[in-house]
Amino acid sequence: LTTTPSTFTRTADTTVVVHNEETVVIGGMIGQDTTSSNYKVPILGDVPLLGWLFKSHGDTQRKTNLYIFITPRIVENPAELAALYHKKRDAVEKVHKSPGDVADQFFHPTSDPGQSVALSDIGFTKMQQNDLARAREYFDQALKIDPGNAAALINLGVISEREGKKGEAERLYRQVLARAPEKNAEGAVQADPLREVARENLDNLRGSGGSAR
């Protein structure tokens, strides 16, 4: 017997113009799944009227936010491409080689900031696997290295929302919004897609009955 595994695919198609090394969000998809479950004691749960004493019903909701970020970099020669590849690879390897999955003694404020990005990326993967406890550890470690890591702050906010900690989620989103805007070489303020994500999440939090104002 051969079975084909089920797959779920979400795609985004758009055209954007972006400066070199400037991050842009090309898609943001919010999904919410509701699962209904019924539990009952065999036979007793089917007794008219009294059967409700031996059965229960529960609904579980799961909210997911998927954002696609792209940071283009102009590479003028193979040497630059190789250097960029090795920099990213080394950052990820440093994370994976740490004992105990996440080691406080290995990641400290003077570590390479690239490790913060790598930790945040792994934390996002854990989120996709619904391992929220592990994801929170990675994001916390990323923020110990770089307290201004907006992606880690936003994802921690999403985790807090899932855990029902709306006040904490609001604080994290507002922390992203409080960042000073970045400027390009000409002194013009650059678009900050992470601020837009934080603002959108904050608006959604307000709509769902959070404490955001």
Side-chain angles (χ1 to χ4, degrees), residues 74-87:
I74 297 176
V75 179
E76 298 182 351
N77 55 65
E80 289 185 10
L81 177 61
L84 180 61
Y85 166 76
H86 288 296
K87 180 180 179 181

Side-chain angles (χ1 to χ4, degrees), residues 75-212:
V75 179
E76 298 182 351
N77 55 65
E80 289 185 10
L81 177 61
L84 180 61
Y85 166 76
H86 288 296
K87 180 180 179 181
K88 293 292 184 181
R89 185 196 63 184
D90 291 345
V92 173
E93 286 183 351
K94 286 180 181 179
V95 173
H96 284 297
K97 287 180 180 179
S98 61
D101 204 13
V102 177
D104 288 335
Q105 66 272 21
F106 182 78
F107 300 109
H108 49 83
T110 58
S111 297
D112 181 357
Q115 292 181 15
S116 179
V117 176
L119 283 165
S120 186
D121 289 343
I122 296 174
F124 182 75
T125 299
K126 294 295 183 182
M127 274 184 65
Q128 295 298 97
Q129 298 170 351
N130 208 31
D131 188 352
L132 301 186
R134 249 324 177 214
R136 181 179 284 276
E137 288 184 11
Y138 279 109
F139 293 134
D140 284 340
Q141 291 291 346
L143 291 172
K144 286 183 179 180
I145 298 172
D146 179 11
N149 187 326
L153 290 169
I154 290 173
N155 285 319
L156 272 177
V158 173
I159 291 176
S160 297
E161 282 195 69
R162 292 188 188 179
E163 295 174 343
K165 303 174 182 177
K166 294 186 177 181
E168 180 180 330
E170 176 185 347
R171 177 183 61 80
L172 291 163
Y173 295 148
R174 290 191 182 279
Q175 193 170 338
V176 177
L177 294 176
R179 296 188 311 159
E182 296 183 359
K183 297 182 179 181
N184 58 24
E186 290 75 26
V189 176
Q190 293 183 342
D192 189 344
L194 292 174
R195 287 175 60 88
E196 295 305 316
V197 171
R199 183 175 291 107
E200 180 180 346
N201 285 4
L202 198 56
D203 290 341
N204 291 335
L205 186 63
R206 182 192 301 118
S208 64
S211 59

Side-chain angles (χ1 to χ4, degrees), residues 5-25:
S6 60
T7 59
F8 178 69
T9 303
R10 287 185 286 183
T11 62
D13 185 7
T14 187
T15 301
V16 296
V17 177
V18 60
H19 294 290
N20 182 38
E21 296 190 6
E22 183 175 310
T23 301
V24 63
V25 180

Side-chain angles (χ1 to χ4, degrees), residues 6 24 50 53 62 71-73 91 192 200:
S6 60
V24 63
L50 294 178
L53 299 175
R62 180 171 178 264
T71 304
R73 290 178 173 83
D192 189 344
E200 180 180 346

Side-chain angles (χ1 to χ4, degrees), residues 5-85:
S6 60
T7 59
F8 178 69
T9 303
R10 287 185 286 183
T11 62
D13 185 7
T14 187
T15 301
V16 296
V17 177
V18 60
H19 294 290
N20 182 38
E21 296 190 6
E22 183 175 310
T23 301
V24 63
V25 180
I26 66 169
M29 290 166 277
I30 300 176
Q32 183 166 321
D33 300 324
T34 301
T35 303
S36 297
S37 304
N38 291 300
Y39 307 91
K40 67 177 180 179
V41 177
I43 301 177
L44 294 178
D46 296 323
V47 176
L49 299 180
L50 294 178
W52 288 104
L53 299 175
F54 302 96
K55 61 184 178 182
S56 62
H57 173 80
D59 291 326
T60 302
Q61 291 188 342
R62 180 171 178 264
K63 178 181 178 182
T64 58
N65 293 327
L66 175 61
Y67 296 98
I68 303 171
F69 298 90
I70 288 184
T71 304
R73 290 178 173 83
I74 297 176
V75 179
E76 298 182 351
N77 55 65
E80 289 185 10
L81 177 61
L84 180 61
Y85 166 76

